[in-house]
Amino acid sequence: MEGSGLRRFTWAEVGLRTGRGPPPQERWLVIDRKVYDISHFCRRHPGGSRVISHYAGQDATDPFIAFHLDKALVRKYMSPLLIGELAPDQPIFEPSKNKRLVEDFRELRATVEKMGLLNPNHTFFILHLCHILLLDVAAWLTIWYFGSSIVPFLFSAVLLGTVQGAPASWWNHLHFQHHAKPNCFRKDPDINMHPLLFALGKILSVELGVKKKKFMPYNHQHKYFFIIGPPALLPLYFQWYIFYFVVQRKQWVDLAWMLTFYVRFFLTYLPLLEMKGILGLFLLVRFIESNWFVWVTQMNHIPMHIDYDKNVDWFSTQLQATCNVHHSLFNDWFSGHLNFQIEHHLFPTMPRHNYWKVAPLVKSLCAKHGIEYQCKPLLTAFADIVHSLKDSGELWLDAYLHK
């Protein structure tokens, strides 16, 4: 099937198959010069239909390599989707992409694999699990020993707030989309709050203003962010959406694990607290978790470039949408190594304990191609969220009033 009899296509032909426009709304993508028709397969894609559809009409070689560990197995299942290859006179990827940068990054990727940086250290993750369990037990022992007065109650809530998590299926569904096209409007679910709640990024904010759209008083968004952003995301949105997600997709194993958490939480604290106290502790934990989650995940993205998908190369896509926070024991622990957001995005399957090892190589590649490698202090990164919201809100207001 993969012989010389394959049909030949141009990038112009591939670029028309994005799934948008009049029927039949075909979706094609290219991997290593081979053209695949994913029009029907995208609905069966194990990673979700959206993440693969985001590359319809484009070269998907680098994200394919980045997301899939067992590439030989995946290629086997891709075989029925193969419809042709790029014509010999066509470049290996779209002319809009930086050829030398793409080649250099693929060389870096090969170096990373040879160095074994994609292999997990099982001892690290066992110790990390023990650390989570220790904090969980310490939270219970604090209330058991010191009682339920305000100080031990708050201390236990803080400990519990640092060890909570989310179902894997839900996390992967959103997280892979975010990694595929970070800060790309209508493709990255992490910026779906634009424009209903916030005006994000300079380009999109001006666009809203020019179109005279005002869903919120965006010029005050840096103020109301503290009310409807960090405190409310998990308790008011994720709390019910996670259940909706797993039920809708019939992820019964995830649902069972989620329910066991609630059962365990109430059973373990019932001997120590009244029902009112248990509910209060649960809501406080969700409040703390929500604040941590929003500040830590958004400090690397909201202040960065936000726009529609311009189909640039993988390296540039990630670098313009992400920044790092300084490496330290506290920052590594507090952010769960998301202070290495650049490396996390470039190599999404890399174990977190190896980010610091690959960081110098990424910095060198940035320097070679004149690309800024942003790295900030933790508090500066937090402040930049607010500053960027204030700036984009002012840009929206100016365009709304004067353009």
Side-chain angles (χ1 to χ4, degrees), residues 83-110:
I83 59 171
E85 62 184 2
L86 293 173
D89 63 337
Q90 295 294 297
I92 193 169
F93 38 75
E94 302 94 317
S96 62
K97 294 178 178 175
N98 185 330
K99 181 177 184 292
R100 186 168 297 177
L101 178 56
V102 172
E103 291 172 347
D104 284 350
F105 174 71
R106 290 180 181 177
E107 185 178 336
L108 171 60
R109 169 81 191 196

Side-chain angles (χ1 to χ4, degrees), residues 2 31-34 36 61 64-65 68 70-82:
E2 297 191 16
I31 298 174
D32 289 332
R33 298 190 65 86
K34 296 292 190 292
Y36 297 90
T61 304
F64 171 81
I65 294 171
H68 299 98
D70 192 342
K71 298 171 187 60
L73 177 65
V74 177
R75 288 181 190 278
K76 176 183 176 183
Y77 287 99
M78 289 167 53
S79 183
L81 310 176
L82 182 66

Side-chain angles (χ1 to χ4, degrees), residues 28-322:
W28 295 0
L29 54 74
V30 177
I31 298 174
D32 289 332
R33 298 190 65 86
K34 296 292 190 292
V35 181
Y36 297 90
D37 185 345
I38 60 165
S39 304
H40 302 292
F41 170 77
C42 63
R43 291 191 288 271
R44 306 190 308 274
H45 181 234
S49 63
R50 293 184 181 181
V51 65
I52 191 172
S53 296
H54 290 343
Y55 277 90
Q58 302 177 10
D59 177 69
T61 304
D62 290 312
F64 171 81
I65 294 171
F67 289 130
H68 299 98
L69 291 172
D70 192 342
K71 298 171 187 60
L73 177 65
V74 177
R75 288 181 190 278
K76 176 183 176 183
Y77 287 99
M78 289 167 53
S79 183
L81 310 176
L82 182 66
I83 59 171
E85 62 184 2
L86 293 173
D89 63 337
Q90 295 294 297
I92 193 169
F93 38 75
E94 302 94 317
S96 62
K97 294 178 178 175
N98 185 330
K99 181 177 184 292
R100 186 168 297 177
L101 178 56
V102 172
E103 291 172 347
D104 284 350
F105 174 71
R106 290 180 181 177
E107 185 178 336
L108 171 60
R109 169 81 191 196
T111 300
V112 164
E113 291 182 0
K114 290 177 184 175
M115 293 173 64
L117 296 181
L118 298 180
N119 302 325
N121 181 331
H122 298 293
T123 302
F124 172 86
F125 289 104
I126 290 172
L127 291 175
H128 185 69
L129 176 60
C130 291
H131 144 264
I132 290 174
L133 295 174
L134 184 64
L135 291 177
D136 209 341
V137 172
W140 187 88
L141 289 175
T142 298
I143 293 181
W144 174 77
Y145 185 80
F146 293 102
S148 58
S149 58
I150 187 66
V151 173
F153 188 85
L154 291 176
F155 185 72
S156 294
V158 170
L159 291 177
L160 288 171
T162 63
V163 299
Q164 302 307 306
S169 60
W170 168 82
W171 177 252
N172 289 338
H173 170 72
L174 293 182
H175 200 55
F176 288 161
Q177 288 184 60
H178 164 66
H179 271 262
K181 293 289 184 178
N183 281 10
C184 291
F185 184 47
R186 296 202 176 105
K187 290 191 174 183
D188 180 357
D190 284 13
I191 58 172
N192 281 349
M193 50 191 164
H194 174 94
L196 189 60
L197 298 176
F198 299 99
L200 299 178
K202 297 177 180 179
I203 295 170
L204 300 182
S205 297
V206 171
E207 179 187 66
L208 273 183
V210 170
K211 292 180 178 179
K212 309 304 178 187
K213 291 187 177 181
K214 182 182 179 181
F215 298 101
M216 294 284 282
Y218 303 120
N219 50 310
H220 296 292
Q221 63 183 2
H222 59 292
K223 302 171 187 173
Y224 66 72
F225 171 77
F226 289 93
I227 301 172
I228 66 174
L233 182 66
L234 263 69
L236 299 183
Y237 177 65
F238 281 172
Q239 187 63 42
W240 68 266
Y241 180 71
I242 290 173
F243 276 98
Y244 168 78
F245 176 88
V246 296
V247 171
Q248 184 190 44
R249 286 165 174 76
K250 299 180 180 179
Q251 303 283 350
W252 306 125
V253 175
D254 273 345
L255 180 62
W257 277 112
M258 290 163 58
L259 292 175
T260 60
F261 162 76
Y262 292 96
V263 172
R264 179 179 63 83
F265 185 89
F266 280 86
L267 288 180
T268 52
Y269 284 94
L270 192 58
L272 308 178
L273 301 168
E274 297 178 355
M275 186 57 68
K276 185 189 299 184
I278 295 176
L279 290 173
L281 180 63
F282 176 79
L283 292 175
L284 183 57
V285 167
R286 283 290 184 245
F287 174 82
I288 293 170
E289 180 190 11
S290 187
N291 276 275
W292 173 88
F293 181 84
V294 173
W295 286 105
V296 165
T297 58
Q298 297 311 308
M299 67 182 181
N300 310 97
H301 295 298
I302 284 185
M304 303 302 290
H305 181 74
I306 300 175
D307 198 357
Y308 294 93
D309 179 18
K310 299 299 183 183
N311 190 22
V312 296
D313 58 86
W314 175 259
F315 191 85
S316 299
T317 296
Q318 307 303 331
L319 263 293
Q320 69 185 9
T322 58

